[in-house]
Amino acid sequence: MAAMEELPEGPAEEPQEELAQEELAQELAQELAHAEVLELFQAALARLVQDPLLCDLPPQVTAEEIGSQVALEYGQAMTVRVCKADGETVPVVVVQNASVLELKKALRRHFQLRQARQGGVQHLSWKYIWRTYHLTYAGEKLADDRKKLREYGIRNRDEVCFIKKLRK
């Protein structure tokens, strides 16, 4: 059998490792701190929100909200107005072929963002909410979470209502 030559270890690898560490340290020194990047990102978002297409978004906008607004403009999404028991109407953006579950998730996200911006109650029990209330459209309960909104006849700018469930 042929003897395998052993590769030298030690001194030959150490300078390469040191160079790699030095390069990494230089890259890190050139990188911005997280707070600085976040500040730049927020400033860019604020400039973006000045666009006429996005002007009705809040100043502390998220990338998700911008994506929803653009999808709405291109006809890939629709606005469903959710009417609460106190008379407040909440506009929620969902994709065109959204299911009832996706509408519920979008509604939850809307309230989470609103609470984060305005303060107030930090936690809502959505399990309790869906156990106590249901959504209705034209008098029909949206009972099946897997069913598409289209199957219930819900289109862009239609109104869905929160109705308190009756005790059995």
Side-chain angles (χ1 to χ4, degrees):
M1 279 198 215
M4 291 180 41
E5 291 185 29
E6 291 187 28
L7 295 174
E9 292 184 24
E13 288 184 18
E14 289 177 12
Q16 290 175 347
E17 257 183 62
E18 289 176 10
L19 285 174
Q21 288 176 354
E22 286 176 17
E23 289 174 0
L24 184 61
Q26 288 175 354
E27 287 178 26
L28 290 174
Q30 292 174 354
E31 288 183 18
L32 297 174
H34 175 73
E36 292 172 330
V37 171
L38 193 58
E39 187 178 316
L40 288 172
F41 180 73
Q42 288 296 336
L45 279 179
R47 285 192 307 274
L48 190 60
V49 172
Q50 293 171 355
D51 184 277
L53 173 67
L54 305 171
C55 64
D56 54 344
L57 291 174
Q60 298 280 315
V61 70
T62 64
E64 179 184 359
E65 289 172 308
I66 291 174
S68 293
Q69 195 69 22
V70 170
L72 191 60
E73 187 66 26
Y74 282 108
Q76 299 168 346
M78 64 179 172
T79 301
V80 177
R81 297 183 325 219
V82 180
C83 183
K84 292 174 34 185
D86 63 1
E88 179 186 1
T89 302
V90 178
V92 179
V93 177
V94 292
V95 293
Q96 286 287 349
N97 63 344
S99 65
V100 173
L101 181 62
E102 289 168 326
L103 174 61
K104 288 179 177 181
K105 287 180 180 179
L107 190 61
R108 179 180 184 169
R109 182 73 175 135
H110 174 84
F111 281 106
Q112 286 173 337
L113 286 171
R114 190 166 87 174
Q115 287 173 331
R117 290 179 181 130
Q118 296 175 352
V121 178
Q122 291 299 315
H123 177 74
L124 284 176
S125 172
W126 287 94
K127 188 175 181 179
Y128 170 79
I129 289 171
W130 297 128
R131 203 172 50 229
T132 310
Y133 294 89
H134 55 260
L135 295 171
T136 61
Y137 174 71
E140 183 180 0
K141 292 179 187 177
L142 307 182
D144 186 0
D145 282 349
R146 295 175 307 236
K147 201 169 179 182
K148 301 289 182 189
L149 296 176
R150 278 189 209 155
E151 295 175 42
Y152 285 106
I154 299 171
R155 302 280 181 249
N156 192 23
R157 296 192 184 106
D158 280 349
E159 197 167 278
V160 172
C161 295
F162 261 117
I163 303 292
K164 191 167 181 104
K165 292 181 180 179
L166 298 175
R167 290 186 181 185
K168 295 180 182 178

